Amino acid sequence: MQRMGMVIGVKPEAIAEYRRLHATGSAEVNALLSACGVRNYSIYLREPENLLFGYWEYHGADWTADARRLDGEPAIRAWLGQTDPCQQPLASAGPGEWWSAMEEVFHLD
């Protein structure tokens, strides 16, 4: 199992919409994530800094392949078409980076 944490900005004017989208969610997207080994997935919002922190546990053998599979799924692409306009990459994000990966510096079971 691999723990993954990532962070991105959320546009202040889009917070209500982002909350609404996640309150109803997408059963199809959730099933696809589960099928690709994503478990224990949470997204946290930090205001007033307007940051989203995402955390999940990957229970698979090849995250690169599973991520590629997810990227090709029409339901995922449709979901991202709704959520991405609410978000904004960090100023420190690299070229083409949307959510910025974070380094795990501590864990307690």
Side-chain angles (χ1 to χ4, degrees):
M1 186 269 295
Q2 178 182 359
R3 290 179 292 277
M4 298 180 168
M6 61 228 84
V7 65
I8 194 167
V10 61
K11 297 173 184 172
E13 68 275 12
I15 290 174
E17 174 65 2
Y18 196 82
R19 285 179 186 272
R20 185 193 69 76
L21 287 167
H22 285 83
T24 56
S26 167
E28 186 176 5
V29 167
N30 293 346
L32 288 164
L33 289 167
S34 293
C36 287
V38 175
R39 308 276 186 277
N40 198 23
Y41 187 7
S42 298
I43 298 174
Y44 298 87
L45 170 63
R46 170 65 184 190
E47 293 183 274
E49 293 86 352
N50 303 321
L51 295 174
L52 297 171
F53 167 69
Y55 168 86
W56 69 53
E57 295 169 354
Y58 175 63
H59 294 260
D62 186 348
W63 172 244
T64 301
D66 284 327
R68 195 169 29 254
R69 174 184 170 199
L70 288 168
D71 286 344
E73 291 285 348
I76 298 286
R77 301 199 73 51
W79 178 253
L80 295 178
Q82 295 176 72
T83 59
D84 282 4
C86 298
Q87 302 166 348
Q88 55 191 20
L90 300 180
S92 62
E97 183 178 52
W98 195 249
W99 282 79
S100 295
M102 300 173 70
E103 175 188 0
E104 181 180 15
V105 296
F106 175 78
H107 177 79
L108 172 67
D109 277 325

